[in-house]
Amino acid sequence: MQLLSQFLKHQKTDEQLVELIDTLMVACKEIALQLREGALAGILGTTDNTNVQGETQKKLDVISNDVLKKLLLDNPLVAGLASEEEDDPVPGNPDGRFLVTFDPLDGSSNIDINVSVGTIFSVLELTPGDDPALHSTYLQSGRRQVAAGYVLYGPSAVLAMTTGKGVNFFTLAHTGDFILTRENVKIPPQTREFAINMSNQRYWEPAMQNYIGDLLLGSDGPRGKNYNMRWIASMVAEVHRVLTRGGIFSYPWDAREPAKPGKLRLMYEGNPMSFLIEQADGIASTCRAPILDVQPGEIHERVSIALGSREEVEALLSYHSADK
């Protein structure tokens, strides 16, 4: 059994990056503990506050954000951070090396019904001379990430992470250690599973409607095989399933708010998940271009997302190409 720290050192991961990841994991272990207590600790339910996206904050959104913020800002390696729950960046140590963006508790609408949620994180390097208090400092494309991952809080707490050398799974043991449980994860190139919020179907652009329509036709349609649909409404849980056994997950553009390119956020959802997917031999796309190539214009920018098994995402992209 290999501990996370031992594995990273074996991979010759930068020592300072290892230290930062260790800080992130201390925070995630605390969040896992809070989640396990649930109603016993009086931390379920909503607050009277909304975040910058206009979403009502759950109590655990706020708690998780505070835990991550405190521990990261106590680490001198952290120059600054940006969170889904913070309107503006939070500067850290002016001599720090790393910027951390995160969604402290993805899928938090599922907390009260005890469905899997998770913490998503992305690590960038501070460009020398840039001010970590400014939004512009964080606006780096996903290709510049030095590490990314998530911790899924489910029946067990599982870390999925990449530092650019493949994707690996670590499970939180009763000892408090993350232990390597699956190495060099690869997504099967083909699949018979798709995940999408079908209630929005009437708002999608024609290419997406046609693609999903053909999946629903199954073996009677042009795809020639039957598909199963999954939908958890937690990106961490959806992506974990894709990494574990393949599939395609999409949250596409829709016409309800046409000025917004999508619902999910680029910097702390789209980019870290796309880094994982590409490192596991999958594809992550906006349906027009690779997500990791998108140059962000703001920290809380939204993006259309389709990711998963290579051949299935390529099939989806062919529908969009034909619709041009």
Side-chain angles (χ1 to χ4, degrees), residues 187-188 190-191 193-194 242 245-249 307-309 312-313:
I187 300 171
Q190 298 178 337
T191 185
E193 284 190 335
F194 70 98
V242 168
R245 67 185 193 203
I248 182 170
F249 163 77
L307 56 78
S309 295
E312 196 59 45
V313 179

Side-chain angles (χ1 to χ4, degrees), residues 191-201 204 211-213 215-216 226-233 238 241 245 247-250:
T191 185
R192 291 173 180 260
E193 284 190 335
F194 70 98
I196 196 166
N197 187 346
M198 287 295 295
S199 67
N200 298 328
Q201 182 177 17
W204 300 333
Y211 167 71
I212 295 297
L215 298 190
L216 295 175
N226 293 321
Y227 285 79
N228 287 322
M229 193 187 86
R230 302 284 184 259
W231 187 251
I232 306 172
E238 306 282 7
R241 185 184 60 252
R245 67 185 193 203
I248 182 170
F249 163 77
S250 183

Side-chain angles (χ1 to χ4, degrees), residues 232-310:
I232 306 172
S234 166
M235 190 184 190
V236 168
E238 306 282 7
V239 171
H240 192 69
R241 185 184 60 252
V242 168
L243 285 170
T244 302
R245 67 185 193 203
I248 182 170
F249 163 77
S250 183
Y251 212 117
W253 175 90
D254 69 53
R256 288 171 299 171
E257 295 182 86
K260 293 181 179 178
K263 180 181 185 294
L264 299 174
R265 271 64 61 154
L266 173 64
M267 295 295 297
Y268 42 81
E269 292 175 326
N271 276 343
M273 293 307 204
S274 297
F275 194 13
L276 288 167
I277 293 294
E278 286 200 3
Q279 285 289 311
D281 286 350
I283 294 177
S285 175
T286 66
C287 296
R288 298 285 184 269
I291 290 170
L292 294 180
D293 290 340
V294 175
Q295 178 57 46
E298 56 179 296
I299 286 177
H300 300 291
E301 180 174 335
R302 297 174 188 260
V303 67
S304 174
I305 286 179
L307 56 78
S309 295
R310 175 170 293 275

